[in-house]
Each structure stands twice: as C-alpha cells, then as structure tokens.
Amino acid sequence: MNDPAIEAMRDTLIEAACAVRANAYVPYSHYAVGAAILMDDGRIFTGVNIENASYGGTVCAERTAVFKAVSEGARQIRAIAVCTANGVAPCGLCRQVLAEFASPEQDPPVWMVDEAGMIRETTLFALLPDSFGPQHLHQD
C-alpha cells in the first residue's frame, strides 16, 4: 500500500463494513456480508448482501455498495473493505464489477476482516489478474 491517505482510511472502511453487515438480508444462507468502498471523491458507500427466494435475484454486498456509489455519481474506487464471518475475499462476479470502477494503475487495496477482527490485505487486481475491462472493447 503506497498511498498514506488511503491507508489512513483502512480502519474507517473496515468499521463501516462490519457495522453495516448487521443489515444483511440473509434468510436462506445465513451468511451475512458487509462491504464499504472508498471512492476517489472521498465518499464511502456501504452495502450488504440481499438474498432472494429465487436465488438468482440475490445481490452481493460489494455490488450493492458499487451500485449505490454509481447511482450517486461516483465512478472511481480507491479502496475496499469486506466483513464476513470468516474473512473471505469477494466472489468472482463482485471482483469483475469492482474492476469496472477501479484503475489498474492505482490497484485499490482490499481488506478482508472476519468476526474476530483478523484482517487480510491484498489488492483488487491481485484478486482478478488479467481482468477484462472497458479497455478491451472496440470503441468507435
């Protein structure tokens, strides 16, 4: 992590992700996830996983946070925190959505925390190497 300003936001993002996790709607899996993302304009957006009886209608916490950010005009992710029972990384679909709004040059840190407060750190593009993005599409 090379950016001291983003590193200074680590605890704030982790606390936000863990706090919002209590709002998850998980009547089927009982696996609550909270996420918080820091955008380049300094705003933090949170999200939780929201399950649906049709299963396919379920939305992950990370995507909920991204969709909230985008709907409010934010476009560039600078850091991500995810809070789960066991500190797992975002799923593949979430990684792809996160990558859509992140710069490989800035490679946002991803902090994963479990219920005991154990934190693992990596970066988004370490989690999604050789990602497919807008730069790969033919633009007229």
Side-chain angles (χ1 to χ4, degrees):
M1 182 72 242
N2 294 352
D3 189 332
I6 292 177
E7 185 64 33
M9 294 296 296
R10 183 184 87 144
D11 291 343
T12 300
L13 282 175
I14 290 170
E15 288 169 11
C18 290
V20 75
R21 183 172 171 246
N23 296 334
Y25 178 74
V26 291
Y28 310 109
S29 73
H30 307 288
Y31 189 78
V33 180
I37 56 175
L38 173 66
M39 303 306 287
D40 66 346
D41 63 6
R43 289 185 288 171
I44 294 172
F45 293 88
T46 60
V48 297
N49 53 328
I50 304 167
E51 294 180 346
N52 188 278
S54 72
Y55 294 112
T58 295
V59 179
C60 298
E62 299 89 337
R63 287 185 287 141
T64 300
V66 169
F67 299 159
K68 286 170 62 178
V70 171
S71 72
E72 295 297 322
R75 293 289 189 270
Q76 188 70 40
I77 296 172
R78 296 301 311 273
I80 304 145
V82 180
C83 184
T84 65
N86 51 352
V88 300
C91 75
L93 182 55
C94 286
R95 294 174 195 195
Q96 182 63 46
V97 170
L98 290 162
E100 180 78 13
F101 298 98
S103 164
E105 293 78 29
Q106 294 178 338
D107 200 5
V110 179
W111 297 295
M112 297 155 284
V113 62
D114 67 14
E115 289 177 337
M118 296 297 295
I119 300 168
R120 294 188 307 135
E121 180 177 348
T122 188
T123 65
L124 178 58
F125 293 100
L127 287 172
L128 189 64
D130 297 322
S131 65
F132 179 82
Q135 71 277 14
H136 296 105
L137 297 173
H138 178 68
Q139 308 260 332
D140 292 333

